[in-house]
Amino acid sequence: MTSILWFKRDLRLDDHPALDRVISFDEPILCLYIVEPDLWQQPDASFRQYRFLEESLGDLRQSLQQRGAELVMRTGDAVAVLDELVGRHGCMRLVSHEETGNGWTYARDKRVAEWARGRGLPWIEVPQCGVVRRIVGRNGWQSARDDFMTQPPAHPPVRIKTMATASDPLPKAADLGLSPDGICLTQRGGRAAGVERLSSFLQHRGQHYRRAMSSPLEGAEACSRLSPHLAFGTLSVREAVQATRDHQSKGRKGGWSGALKSFQARLAWRDHFIQKLEDQPEIEHHCLHPAYEGLRPLEPDAARLKAWEGGETGLPFVDACMRSLRATGWLNFRMRAMVMSVASYHLWLDWRATGQHLARMFTDYEPGIHWSQVQMQSGTTGMNTIRIYNPVKQGLDQDPTGTFTRRWLPELAQVPDRFLQEPWKWEGAGKLLGRSYPEPIVDVQSAARAARDAVWAVRKSDGFHPVAKRIVQKHASRKAPRRRAARGPSRPRHADQMSFDF
DNA sequence: AGTGCAGTTGACTTT
DNA sequence: TAAAGTCAACTGCAC
């Protein structure tokens, strides 16, 4: 008798609670990965993500082989694949991790659950991160996550006894309808690359994390770059949390303590946001606060959408970010917030269309984080005050030397530094704008003002606040109340603790 | 030397 | 991890 271990977004053997569980049954394991063509047809799926998956699966297969084990790969509908395998091999149970994915994987999992019930086959799903399934409200969430992160991870045994069966070759991206999407500077997938990113971050790259993470140039090295590994599960969040904790306990100096604390906070926020999608999968498709539904045209202005996607808005810093994203599959947090903000406010584009483009462009696309952030930066949550980024100011603040902007906008080579973020103010703009580089698609000031007024009008409308209050009840992060010092002034809180409201 | 004043800075508020 | 506006305190300078 065998159990099926269904690998999903958990492409590793270390700290793999589902593997640990299935091993406890002491039966041969059918290690399965299902390539689902329909999943890769979804509007949030892309070539670059599939490429990362290919590399990660190759690594996983090798790790299994080193333990005398086989990875069975099948291409097709999950229920059909599982049904065929169970029929042929008489499997006893299905074991996997809980997945908090997009609406498509949620629906697929419901079909799998229904199929398993019908066959009388137990499907054991276990958590692999701090997200808590079927939690009511957010009370106790933080301590549940802390407990999970404190548990010692299981290490895979030296030998894993698997059951081999016919395996499909991994489809080529083109076979799934995925064509190259402009990625040219890839981040390598697979467990080995993930482990390397983690250790190099903790050894040296992360030292100036706090200062450098918002810079589009320095951030590429100073940020951990673990995001695609966490998204595909080549590393577990717990591994990252515990490795960071180990370094924190060494009490390193030289800015490290701030960096590591800050990084831990982000790892926690990661689970916090994924929990939102777990609790309310509709946030992928509907405004969290319904009063914002219909505020922007649901069918976005095609020319504006195309200009934004292609890095041709005429706003240099936005264009540099969008072109860099297309080429690398990554942007730092602040730049993601800015490009989304510009799309939603200045360009007045509905978040669903722009969010799908960004989802495809992000190699590290993680639905829970993504749609929470997309709605936050579009002001449709009703929970926090709207944040309209000024792309000119961001360019001046985050790219003061202009190096990043110039790297991605070679056509601005002739523009003097002081006009780089606002080339339309340069007296020589005439020979540039409308020829090699577009005129700004909107006026930054007036577009921002119009958007702000429109959003505030919704906030002031009848019935807005009672609904907003209910949303806060459901979603707001609850921190343990700070114990008040017996006397003396309270320490000022660091921004880390104040940010990310929703 | 003290006063007036334009310009700057920073804390705080509003949108 | 917003930005703009407001206001009071401060600064440097002319007289």
Side-chain angles (χ1 to χ4, degrees), chain A residues 299-370:
Chain A
E299 192 62 46
D301 181 300
R304 285 185 171 192
L305 179 63
K306 185 160 175 276
W308 177 77
E309 289 181 353
E312 296 281 349
T313 65
L315 305 170
F317 198 50
V318 174
D319 291 340
C321 287
M322 294 303 285
R323 294 183 194 187
S324 170
L325 172 61
R326 183 179 293 273
T328 67
W330 186 81
L331 271 183
N332 68 23
F333 182 90
R334 183 183 276 274
M335 303 302 89
R336 292 184 194 211
M338 183 197 70
V339 297
M340 193 64 217
S341 169
V342 168
S344 292
Y345 295 114
H346 301 83
L347 305 184
W348 207 238
L349 300 167
D350 189 88
W351 57 270
R352 280 152 281 223
T354 49
Q356 276 177 350
H357 173 77
L358 290 184
R360 287 189 296 272
M361 288 292 110
F362 294 154
T363 306
D364 58 25
Y365 170 55
E366 175 67 56
I369 302 173
H370 185 69

Side-chain angles (χ1 to χ4, degrees), chain A residues 55-282:
Chain A
E55 293 168 351
S56 301
L57 280 174
D59 215 339
L60 177 67
R61 165 169 270 175
Q62 209 172 13
S63 301
L64 281 165
Q65 282 169 349
Q66 283 163 2
R67 292 172 169 79
E70 286 295 328
L71 177 64
V72 174
M73 288 200 257
R74 289 294 178 91
T75 301
D77 170 65
V79 169
V81 168
L82 291 166
D83 193 59
E84 192 266 329
L85 289 172
V86 170
R88 179 183 303 208
H89 301 290
C91 306
M92 295 291 291
R93 61 185 71 78
L94 174 63
V95 183
S96 76
H97 284 134
E98 289 172 351
E99 181 175 3
T100 306
N102 62 12
W104 188 93
T105 66
Y106 184 36
R108 173 255 276 145
D109 282 348
K110 285 199 274 200
R111 283 196 300 118
V112 170
E114 194 185 339
W115 160 83
R117 263 197 307 278
R119 280 202 81 123
L121 186 92
W123 180 14
I124 301 170
E125 287 181 283
V126 294
Q128 66 160 335
C129 67
V131 173
V132 183
R133 190 157 281 188
R134 292 182 202 91
I135 194 173
V136 181
R138 274 305 182 94
N139 292 318
W141 182 82
Q142 187 66 53
S143 63
R145 179 182 185 272
D146 289 347
D147 286 348
F148 181 88
M149 292 305 163
T150 311
Q151 299 299 315
H155 295 293
V158 180
R159 306 294 293 177
I160 299 174
K161 195 174 167 200
T162 54
M163 216 214 66
T165 183
S167 189
D168 295 335
L170 189 61
K172 295 276 172 252
D175 300 335
L176 296 166
L178 299 168
S179 43
D181 54 10
I183 188 90
C184 53
L185 301 165
T186 56
Q187 188 179 341
R188 192 166 170 75
R191 169 82 185 170
V195 169
E196 184 284 321
R197 288 286 84 183
L198 177 58
S199 85
S200 64
F201 177 72
L202 293 174
Q203 292 295 332
H204 55 273
R205 287 192 298 115
Q207 182 162 14
H208 305 295
Y209 185 61
R210 246 188 200 166
R211 177 183 58 75
M213 74 173 127
S214 287
S215 157
L217 269 181
E218 295 177 81
E221 269 299 287
C223 291
S224 78
R225 309 303 303 271
L226 296 186
S227 53
H229 294 286
L230 297 174
F232 284 89
T234 48
L235 272 179
S236 75
V237 187
R238 182 157 56 189
E239 288 179 297
V241 167
Q242 295 192 359
T244 306
R245 204 169 279 171
D246 289 347
H247 281 257
Q248 285 175 296
S249 65
K250 288 185 205 154
R252 275 195 289 182
K253 299 285 181 282
W256 271 103
S257 72
L260 298 181
K261 190 171 169 227
S262 189
F263 182 58
Q264 286 284 20
R266 277 164 184 77
L267 290 170
W269 282 109
R270 183 177 188 282
D271 285 342
H272 170 82
F273 283 115
I274 299 174
Q275 182 74 51
K276 291 180 189 307
L277 188 65
E278 173 66 36
D279 296 341
Q280 202 168 347
E282 313 90 75

Side-chain angles (χ1 to χ4, degrees), chain A residues 419-493:
Chain A
F419 294 110
L420 183 62
Q421 300 300 346
E422 298 174 281
W424 53 89
K425 290 189 176 171
W426 176 42
E427 67 271 18
K431 61 178 189 271
L432 173 80
L433 299 187
R435 298 164 192 248
S436 53
Y437 188 69
E439 301 264 4
I441 193 170
V442 291
D443 174 74
V444 170
Q445 261 72 41
S446 57
R449 199 177 313 119
R452 194 191 59 196
D453 293 349
V455 173
W456 275 97
V458 173
R459 289 179 84 100
K460 286 177 184 151
S461 64
D462 292 343
F464 180 90
H465 287 290
V467 178
K469 205 173 162 185
R470 280 201 295 280
I471 295 168
V472 171
Q473 289 284 319
K474 186 176 171 74
H475 283 279
S477 67
R478 307 243 206 296
K479 297 197 177 305
R482 254 175 116 72
R483 203 142 27 100
R484 191 178 291 277
R487 61 185 66 80
S490 60
R491 271 184 304 143
R493 290 189 181 196

